[in-house]
Each structure stands twice: as structure tokens, then as C-alpha cells.
Amino acid sequence: MDFTETFTKEKHTACGIEQGYRFHRPECGDDGRLHPLVLFLHGAGERGDDNELQLRIGIGTALEDPESPLHDSYIIAPQVPSEGQWVDWPWRGGLYDTKTVAETPYLAAAAELVRETIEKYPIDKNSVLLMGISMGGFGSWDALYRHRDIFCGAFICCGGTDPSTAPYIADKVIFTYHGDIDETVSPAGTRAMAEALKKAGAEHFTYREYAGMGHWTWDRAYAEYDDIKALFAELAKRK
């Protein structure tokens, strides 16, 4: 099944930009329950203005699991234009400083869309999370810190980050993945964040480093169905 067909095409204006995004509603419909909300941030190869490429890889693999909690979640998948980035920083080194690198309008607009969606739909505010790959991994770490009042957890593949933010997000539920020979985004940032979160006393943090794997970790990570279910299950306990 092509799961992109379950996402409608939408547009949203905030922070001075118009942003195309895809929107998935729970398959169970309006059943009176509160549902999780996921913000999926794509990688550099899916940039553009077609409002389609952002679903080409990543989250679709997770949706192949018929028991995935994603099916009963609201999912927002915005798209960055060809010249844009979720975090305006060269990604190769895997590290940056949130004190000197400002939030981009693309990420700020996506966060504003999440806030508006929470107010408009029956969303479980304890189950609002991020999923991102590569460039979107940078964005996921960045949003988890800058908008920690709304995001409760994250599922992040091969992204870069600022380990100094660890004390501020140590209470979040985080699963993150990186290949140990990734030459596109160095695993240095993820490794440093893993150590920083340990020092900060994080109790719900999992880091899986895939031996012998380069940059394409999302194919394997999004097939870690049990991890995705564990992430949602832990968030559900926080009601």
C-alpha cells in the first residue's frame, strides 16, 4: 500500500512563510478519544515545493506495520524549499551551538502549525512527538529543545545536535539512531548527546548505533517496530 495516499495536501502560513505540508488523520476517525500527534521532518533530498517528496522515505516504512500506533495518530509532514534547511548549519560535523545558531523560519512555522493543530483537533498533549531523518534529525533535536513545552518525545535518525541542551530535554522519551561509518552526518553529535543525556539523568533515552552502516539508517530504524511502539507506550503512561 502507498501510505502517502492517506495524507491530504495542505498549506499553512506562519513566521512570514507559506509552507506546504501533508496531513494524516487517525484511521479510526472521530471516536471520542485523544490521539497522539507526530511532526515528521524530512531530509535534504526531499526538499522542494511539490508537497510530495517529504513522504518519499522515512515514516512510510513505519506505517507498513499494521499495528503501528502511527495509524491512529495525527501526522504533520511539512516541506522545506530547495534552498532551505530545518537548522541553518553545515551538517557534516554533526554538532552545532543553539546559542549562536538561530531557529529557522521553517522550523518555527512547523512548530506553530503543531500548536494550532493541538488546539483544533482532539490531541493528547502528553503524546506530541517528533520524527526526523538526517537534516530532519537536526530539526528534531532543535525543536525538542526550543519547543520543549509541546514536544514530549522524539524518534531521530542520523541527525546533528547540540549536547549542551541535554539537561533541558532529559525528561523526554527519545529513541535515536546513527550509523558508525556515516560520512554525510558524523555520528559525533549523536554520541555526544548520548553521553550528555546520561550525565543529565535521562531515564527514557535509547541510542542504537548500527555497526558498518553509513547514512541510510532510517530504513532500518523505521523498521524497528517495537521501538516505535515502546516510544508511544511510554508517552501514554504520562497522562
Side-chain angles (χ1 to χ4, degrees):
M1 176 179 178
D2 181 2
F3 288 100
T4 64
E5 295 178 355
T6 67
F7 288 74
T8 59
K9 287 188 175 183
E10 312 287 346
K11 287 187 177 181
H12 175 257
T13 301
C15 305
I17 62 170
E18 183 180 71
Q19 193 169 51
Y21 70 99
R22 302 294 290 275
F23 189 50
H24 175 276
R25 293 170 175 81
E27 294 179 1
C28 55
D30 183 10
D31 58 2
R33 294 185 296 119
L34 296 178
H35 297 271
L37 172 61
V38 177
L39 175 63
F40 174 70
L41 302 180
H42 65 79
E46 292 72 60
R47 291 178 288 185
D49 59 5
D50 63 353
N51 206 5
E52 293 184 0
L53 277 175
Q54 70 265 41
L55 294 177
R56 182 173 64 92
I57 56 176
I59 199 167
T61 301
L63 285 166
E64 291 174 3
D65 175 12
E67 299 180 354
S68 176
L70 287 167
H71 292 291
D72 287 331
S73 301
Y74 289 91
I75 305 172
I76 297 170
Q79 187 178 35
V80 166
S82 299
E83 71 280 3
Q85 294 182 199
W86 295 118
V87 176
D88 191 13
W89 189 256
W91 47 69
R92 187 178 180 87
L95 290 159
Y96 69 100
D97 186 347
T98 51
K99 292 185 289 294
T100 58
V101 178
E103 183 178 25
T104 66
Y106 308 113
L107 192 63
E112 180 59 28
L113 175 56
V114 169
R115 294 180 191 277
E116 292 179 14
T117 303
I118 290 172
E119 296 304 316
K120 185 176 181 180
Y121 294 94
I123 305 296
D124 179 359
K125 293 182 180 180
N126 293 307
S127 296
V128 180
L129 63 143
L130 292 142
M131 301 183 85
I133 61 175
S134 192
M135 184 186 77
F138 273 83
S140 295
W141 284 117
D142 206 64
L144 191 62
Y145 164 64
R146 296 187 195 272
H147 301 282
R148 53 192 179 276
D149 61 315
I150 56 171
F151 292 111
C152 310
F155 191 90
I156 304 173
C157 298
C158 51
T161 184
D162 176 1
S164 74
T165 65
Y168 302 96
I169 61 173
D171 62 326
K172 310 299 182 183
V173 184
I174 304 170
F175 284 78
T176 188
Y177 308 80
H178 223 116
D180 68 342
I181 57 172
D182 190 335
E183 295 182 352
T184 303
V185 178
S186 170
T190 307
R191 290 169 179 166
M193 178 59 91
E195 289 302 314
L197 283 169
K198 288 179 184 177
K199 291 180 181 178
E203 296 181 359
H204 300 286
F205 171 70
T206 299
Y207 173 37
R208 302 197 192 286
E209 187 170 296
Y210 297 138
M213 183 170 282
H215 190 55
W216 308 93
T217 54
W218 50 82
D219 286 338
R220 181 171 173 182
Y222 277 80
E224 299 276 8
Y225 297 151
D226 288 343
D227 282 1
I228 294 174
K229 291 170 185 172
L231 168 60
F232 278 82
E234 181 56 40
L235 291 175
K237 294 178 184 177
R238 301 187 174 201
K239 294 182 180 180

